[in-house]
Amino acid sequence: MSVKLFGMVFLLILSVLSSSVHANPSNLLDGVREIQLENGMKFLLLRREGAPVFSAYIRVRVGGVDELDGKTGIAHLLEHMAFKGTPEIGTKDYTKEKVLLEQLEVVHAKKIQSSGQERQALNAQMNQLVEQAGEWVVKEEFSKIYQRNGATGLNATTSQDLTTYFVTLPNTKLKLWAYLESSRLKDPVFREFYSEREVVGEERRMRVQDSPFGKLYESFIQLAFEKSPYRRPTIGYQEDIEMLSATDLRKFYQTYYVPGNIVGTLVGNIDLDETEKILKEYFGTWPSGNNPDTDFPEEPSPKGPKKTVVPFDAKPAVVFGYHKPNMPHPDDYVFDVLDQILCEGRTSRLYKRWVLQDHTVQQLNCAPSTPGSRLKNLFFVYAMVNTGVAPEKILNSFDAEMQQLISGGVSAEELEKAKKNILSQWYFDLSSNDQIAEALSYFEAVAGNWKYILNHRKKIQEVTSGDLVRVVQQY
């Protein structure tokens, strides 16, 4: 069977949109207690009746945007290393292990500056030190402690904006959670670094280099941004990953993992007063440090459309996007409604036109805030198109849909349906401890105040057809 090579094409229409925000279910968050420790770390607590469990989220305000050129992927790699333990967890004898870890960094620094036979000899020496240090490691002890104590959903993620650690536990394990999380935040040990670096490199090959969408998306983002740190992939470039050292990681950690740069949220069947005492006991002894600089380069104003083709042995796809400001922009709520009308569900305008009517698209997705929300970003559209469909046909069809919205507006029925869908989805999304903890911690970390979501319902209800027309015309 012959295989055709399709060109995956995207158009970047450079204009300015606004970011999406999320709704607040009326009185659900009335009981949130804010705790500010003396060292600057903030916690949000919410008691909910029900099962004797709680969900905990810790957000560190560090992601791909905080990296430097040549050091991409370091925030994501640090997230991996946060599961490796501490001087007390994950080792048979840290005193002996530490000596070997320090020797590894000395040899690695020499290796970077060497070449030829000298580099080969240093590489062999590193491999030997890695093996010797590994003899003192207790594999995955940190995660296994959690698992033995009834943890579910233990995981972590790194985005362009944030690094997040989360887990759900029985409420009798609150002190254990506080001990484990405060320990790995205050005093992590970056053991098994060079083997984990290889794991991340393989992850990049799988998610980007061998993935049609991964290659397409990375090329799209690189073209979209000229100066913004959003132009770099969160997972990093392969050549950068291969050069990172545990010393680099330690410096990055010391810069960004400081109490004033971290938000914690606990939601569930917990005693708020007792929880506050535990948090102060375990996290309050952490020295405050200096909050990191957040002065990012300004993305220049768009000068016109950009376009590129990404060849890959895969089904054809089109992605395109529009520059927009980040929250809190006054048009945020309008774009929530616009996204719902254009892209969400089988009755949305683009789905009906592309999938049901024209049969040009197999799969459709939109994202109102790509690749993050801390900086100016993009309204993003992805379409997997049917074989033989020219990318320009999709782009022209999108333009026609926008012109139709400008000329005809949005009916009262369509507008009301979109608003109800947004609000009902948010009631559903915030129906569990972990989802509430996720939302509270996200807005506290990104918007600077979790209360950013409180006015969402009112603002969504105020959006008019005229607002939608104005936004489409403007952007």
Side-chain angles (χ1 to χ4, degrees):
M1 180 177 67
S2 63
V3 179
K4 295 183 178 180
L5 184 67
F6 296 106
M8 296 189 290
V9 183
F10 62 82
L11 178 70
L12 176 63
I13 303 174
L14 297 164
S15 55
V16 181
L17 293 180
S18 130
S19 91
S20 171
V21 293
H22 305 127
N24 172 56
S26 56
N27 300 321
L28 179 65
L29 306 180
D30 283 351
V32 172
R33 178 184 293 191
E34 300 183 31
I35 300 170
Q36 186 84 47
L37 302 184
E38 291 184 3
N39 59 15
M41 189 170 181
K42 189 167 188 178
F43 285 93
L44 305 173
L45 310 181
L46 180 63
R47 175 176 172 81
R48 297 184 77 220
E49 300 295 337
V53 298
F54 72 95
S55 294
Y57 267 70
I58 288 180
R59 304 270 194 181
V60 188
R61 293 185 189 91
V62 63
V65 297
D66 301 287
E67 297 168 349
L68 300 175
D69 288 330
K71 302 291 185 182
T72 63
I74 195 168
H76 174 241
L77 186 50
L78 179 51
E79 173 230 306
H80 277 236
M81 297 305 297
F83 288 86
K84 297 297 182 180
T86 69
E88 290 77 36
I89 301 172
T91 184
K92 300 171 186 174
D93 188 330
Y94 182 61
T95 301
K96 295 177 180 177
E97 182 190 17
K98 183 180 180 182
V99 172
L100 295 166
L101 295 177
E102 291 172 348
Q103 290 177 3
L104 261 171
E105 293 311 291
V106 172
V107 175
H108 182 271
K110 292 179 180 179
K111 174 187 169 183
I112 295 299
Q113 302 299 324
S114 65
S115 60
Q117 291 184 347
E118 182 185 7
R119 170 168 284 212
Q120 291 180 3
L122 290 169
N123 191 60
Q125 187 177 352
M126 277 196 67
N127 290 338
Q128 185 179 19
L129 287 168
V130 166
E131 184 176 349
Q132 291 173 349
E135 294 176 0
W136 299 106
V137 174
V138 180
K139 294 280 188 180
E140 300 180 5
E141 184 179 20
F142 186 88
S143 298
K144 288 178 179 177
I145 292 173
Y146 264 129
Q147 292 165 5
R148 289 195 300 267
N149 284 276
T152 60
L154 174 65
N155 213 332
T157 62
T158 306
S159 69
Q160 286 282 10
D161 292 339
L162 301 170
T163 304
T164 307
Y165 303 93
F166 48 94
V167 67
T168 295
L169 281 163
N171 57 12
T172 55
K173 304 298 180 180
L174 181 57
K175 275 196 173 184
L176 174 68
W177 172 86
Y179 164 70
L180 290 173
E181 294 303 319
S182 64
S183 296
R184 71 164 163 180
L185 287 174
K186 291 188 289 186
D187 196 14
V189 172
F190 301 139
R191 55 177 59 94
E192 299 183 296
F193 172 83
Y194 292 99
S195 57
E196 195 66 28
R197 191 180 66 175
E198 294 302 313
V199 171
V200 172
E202 182 57 36
E203 184 180 344
R204 175 185 163 79
R205 285 187 284 273
M206 179 180 67
R207 288 170 49 185
V208 178
Q209 294 167 210
D210 297 336
S211 166
F213 177 78
K215 285 182 71 77
L216 178 64
Y217 180 77
E218 184 170 285
S219 298
F220 167 73
I221 292 298
Q222 287 173 341
L223 188 71
F225 296 102
E226 295 180 21
K227 292 188 177 181
S228 171
Y230 277 155
R231 73 187 187 279
R232 302 183 297 249
T234 302
I235 198 169
Y237 296 114
Q238 189 68 36
E239 58 271 23
D240 290 349
I241 296 171
E242 292 174 354
M243 295 295 287
L244 291 174
S245 68
T247 300
D248 296 325
L249 204 69
R250 176 66 58 180
K251 291 178 182 177
F252 192 80
Y253 157 80
Q254 291 170 341
T255 300
Y256 292 99
Y257 279 63
V258 295
N261 204 40
I262 301 176
V263 174
T265 303
L266 290 86
V267 178
N269 197 339
I270 54 176
D271 181 289
L272 299 186
D273 292 336
E274 180 64 21
T275 301
E276 183 172 348
K277 287 173 55 179
I278 291 171
L279 295 176
K280 290 178 178 179
E281 177 184 354
Y282 284 93
F283 293 91
T285 58
W286 191 3
S288 58
N290 298 315
N291 286 347
D293 177 29
T294 54
D295 185 18
F296 300 106
E298 185 72 17
E299 180 68 19
S301 299
K303 299 179 178 64
K306 297 179 181 179
K307 178 180 177 180
T308 192
V309 176
V310 180
F312 204 92
D313 186 9
K315 291 182 178 180
V318 179
V319 301
F320 53 99
Y322 302 78
H323 277 281
K324 63 183 185 65
N326 53 313
M327 67 171 71
H329 189 278
D331 283 338
D332 278 347
Y333 307 99
V334 181
F335 277 100
D336 269 350
V337 179
L338 180 63
D339 174 62
Q340 184 71 34
I341 288 170
L342 292 180
C343 303
E344 301 301 324
R346 294 177 61 86
T347 60
S348 64
R349 291 192 176 196
L350 294 181
Y351 189 93
K352 287 194 295 185
R353 180 163 187 158
W354 291 348
V355 179
L356 302 180
Q357 176 184 318
D358 297 342
H359 304 291
T360 54
V361 169
Q362 296 180 25
Q363 183 179 340
L364 167 68
N365 294 104
C366 297
S369 190
T370 298
S373 295
R374 281 173 62 187
L375 309 178
K376 293 179 180 179
N377 45 62
L378 302 168
F379 182 87
F380 174 79
V381 181
Y382 165 83
M384 180 179 289
V385 301
N386 289 320
T387 302
V389 175
E392 288 74 17
K393 185 172 183 177
I394 301 300
L395 301 170
N396 292 337
S397 176
F398 184 83
D399 287 341
E401 199 65 49
M402 296 305 96
Q403 289 300 325
Q404 183 175 332
L405 193 151
I406 290 171
S407 61
V410 178
S411 70
E413 181 181 2
E414 186 179 15
L415 184 58
E416 185 63 22
K417 181 179 180 181
K419 293 177 181 179
K420 286 182 177 179
N421 286 344
I422 293 170
L423 297 175
S424 63
Q425 183 62 48
W426 264 87
Y427 279 108
F428 178 79
D429 285 348
L430 299 187
S431 61
S432 65
N433 293 340
D434 62 321
Q435 290 166 323
I436 295 172
E438 180 181 12
L440 288 173
S441 59
Y442 174 81
F443 283 102
E444 184 66 35
V446 174
N449 193 332
W450 67 269
K451 294 179 180 178
Y452 184 83
I453 60 179
L454 289 176
N455 291 327
H456 189 273
R457 181 176 183 177
K458 177 183 176 182
K459 294 294 186 181
I460 287 293
Q461 296 289 9
E462 292 174 352
V463 173
T464 67
S465 175
D467 292 326
L468 292 162
V469 171
R470 173 185 56 81
V471 162
V472 172
Q473 284 180 317
Q474 182 175 346
Y475 302 113

